C-alpha cells in the first residue's frame, strides 16, 4: 500500500484494512494480527495503527479484547457509511463487502448527459450491476459504469461479481488513476430503481456520480450509482491545513 502523505495516515490504513475485512473470503479467520504486526505490514507506527483500529471498532467492524486480541465482527458490513476523503483506497473500501449481479454489459452509446466527458467517443462499454448485502442478500444499490473501450478490453465481466470496478481499472487495466470526483444528489426512485432496490416508487435514494480520471485529467470511467436512502449515510471530512 502506497500512503499519501497529504491524508491522515490512520485514515488511509483504516480504509485499506476495512476493504480487506469486507472483501475477505467466506470462512476466513475472524482474528486479526496484533497491532504490532499490522503496523509493520502497513509501515506505520503502533499509535497510528491503534487509531485506525479505533475507527473500525467505532464503525462496528471489529472488536478488541484485552489479552485476547482483535476480532472481526461476524456480522460486519450491515449499514455502510460512505465517507468521502479523497483516496483510491477509500473508494475501493466502499465498494467491498457486497456481492454483485451483472445485469448487462457491452457497447452502448455515450449517454447524452455524459457526452462532455467523452468528447472523442461515440460508444463506451457499459456495465449494469445490482449489489446486495452479503449477509442478508438485500439489494443495497445498483450501479451503471461507462468505461473507455480500450480499458474495458482488459476487464473480465465475471470479475465484477466480487471486485470493485475501481480496483479492476487500476490492477487489471493498468489505469494510472489520478483523481476520483464523487457528486452526491438526493433523488426519488424511478420505476426501475424502485423495482431493483425493492423500495416504494418515489422513495428517497442517494445518487452518486463518480468520475475516474487519469493523471492527465482524462475521464476513464463514469459510475452512476443509486443507493437505498435507508441504508447509507454520507460523511465528508475536511481537515484544516497547518498555517504556514
Amino acid at each position: 500500500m502506497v500512503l499519501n502523505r497529504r491524508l491522515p495516515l490512520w485514515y488511509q490504513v483504516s480504509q485499506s484494512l476495512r476493504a480487506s475485512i469486507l472483501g475477505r473470503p467466506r470462512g476466513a479467520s475472524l482474528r486479526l494480527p496484533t497491532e504490532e504486526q499490522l503496523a509493520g505490514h502497513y509501515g506505520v507506527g503502533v499509535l497510528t495503527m491503534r487509531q485506525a483500529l479505533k475507527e473500525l471498532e467505532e464503525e462496528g467492524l471489529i472488536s478488541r479484547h484485552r489479552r485476547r486480541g482483535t476480532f472481526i465482527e461476524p456480522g460486519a458490513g450491515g449499514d455502510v457509511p460512505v465517507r468521502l476523503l479523497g483516496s483510491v483506497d477509500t473508494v475501493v473500501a466502499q465498494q467491498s463487502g457486497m456481492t454483485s449481479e451483472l445485469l448487462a454489459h457491452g457497447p452502448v452509446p455515450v449517454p447524452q448527459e455524459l457526452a462532455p466527458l467523452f468528447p472523442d467517443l461515440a460508444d463506451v462499454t457499459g456495465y449494469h450491476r445490482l449489489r446486495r448485502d452479503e449477509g442478508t442478500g438485500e439489494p443495497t444499490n445498483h450501479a451503471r459504469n461507462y468505461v473507455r473501450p480500450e480499458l474495458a478490453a482488459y476487464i473480465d465481466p465475471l470479475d465484477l461479481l466480487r471486485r470493485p470496478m475501481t480496483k479492476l481499472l487500476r490492477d487489471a487495466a493498468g489505469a494510472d488513476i489520478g483523481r476520483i470526483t464523487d457528486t452526491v444528489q438526493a433523488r426519488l426512485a424511478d420505476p426501475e430503481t424502485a423495482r431493483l432496490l425493492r423500495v416504494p416508487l418515489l422513495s428517497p435514494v442517494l445518487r452518486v456520480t463518480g468520475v475516474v480520471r487519469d493523471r492527465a485529467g482524462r475521464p476513464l470511467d463514469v459510475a452512476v450509482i443509486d443507493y437505498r436512502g435507508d441504508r447509507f449515510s454520507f460523511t465528508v471530512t475536511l481537515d484544516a491545513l497547518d498555517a504556514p
Side-chain angles (χ1 to χ4, degrees):
M1 174 183 176
V2 178
L3 296 175
N4 182 343
R5 297 293 167 176
R6 298 180 63 185
L7 294 174
L9 295 182
W10 67 265
Y11 176 81
Q12 296 178 72
V13 170
S14 72
Q15 292 302 298
S16 180
L17 184 55
R18 182 183 189 277
S20 297
I21 290 172
L22 294 179
R24 71 191 188 280
R26 293 184 182 276
S29 173
L30 296 178
R31 187 186 185 102
L32 289 178
T34 66
E35 289 180 353
E36 292 77 9
Q37 290 170 330
L38 287 170
H41 172 75
Y42 285 104
V44 298
V46 172
L47 291 180
T48 298
M49 194 68 238
R50 194 167 293 162
Q51 190 172 2
L53 291 172
K54 180 182 178 183
E55 171 79 2
L56 298 179
E57 184 177 30
E58 290 177 351
E59 190 177 328
L61 288 179
I62 64 172
S63 59
R64 296 190 286 175
H65 306 274
R66 189 177 180 85
R67 297 192 179 89
R68 288 181 52 211
T70 302
F71 297 85
I72 300 170
E73 288 293 323
D79 291 351
V80 183
V82 178
R83 304 186 178 191
L84 310 178
L85 192 60
S87 74
V88 174
D89 280 321
T90 301
V91 177
V92 172
Q94 306 306 340
Q95 298 172 351
S96 300
M98 302 178 190
T99 57
S100 293
E101 176 185 350
L102 187 61
L103 302 178
H105 81 280
V108 296
V110 175
Q112 183 176 359
E113 64 274 17
L114 302 183
L117 294 170
F118 298 107
D120 57 327
L121 297 175
D123 297 290
V124 288
T125 303
Y127 302 86
H128 187 196
R129 288 170 294 155
L130 178 65
R131 295 195 185 109
R132 302 177 184 274
D133 183 278
E134 280 195 339
T136 66
E138 183 180 45
T140 58
N141 66 83
H142 77 99
R144 296 182 188 272
N145 286 81
Y146 303 95
V147 181
R148 297 189 68 88
E150 66 268 25
L151 295 176
Y154 293 95
I155 295 174
D156 184 343
L158 293 179
D159 285 339
L160 286 169
L161 300 181
R162 293 292 301 176
R163 291 174 161 184
M165 176 64 81
T166 306
K167 183 174 179 62
L168 291 176
L169 285 171
R170 184 183 63 184
D171 299 345
D176 186 18
I177 297 175
R179 173 174 294 178
I180 300 174
T181 303
D182 286 330
T183 301
V184 183
Q185 297 173 306
R187 298 174 60 89
L188 299 179
D190 56 34
E192 181 187 29
T193 297
R195 176 180 62 82
L196 289 172
L197 299 185
R198 300 180 189 171
V199 297
L201 182 65
L202 301 182
S203 62
V205 296
L206 293 173
R207 170 164 290 187
V208 176
T209 302
V211 181
V212 178
R213 300 176 185 269
D214 62 17
R215 296 190 185 277
R218 184 182 64 154
L220 307 177
D221 165 48
V222 178
V224 181
I225 310 174
D226 287 327
Y227 292 89
R228 283 183 52 159
D230 60 343
R231 289 295 310 277
F232 289 84
S233 63
F234 289 76
T235 301
V236 178
T237 300
L238 302 177
D239 288 327
L241 297 178
D242 293 335

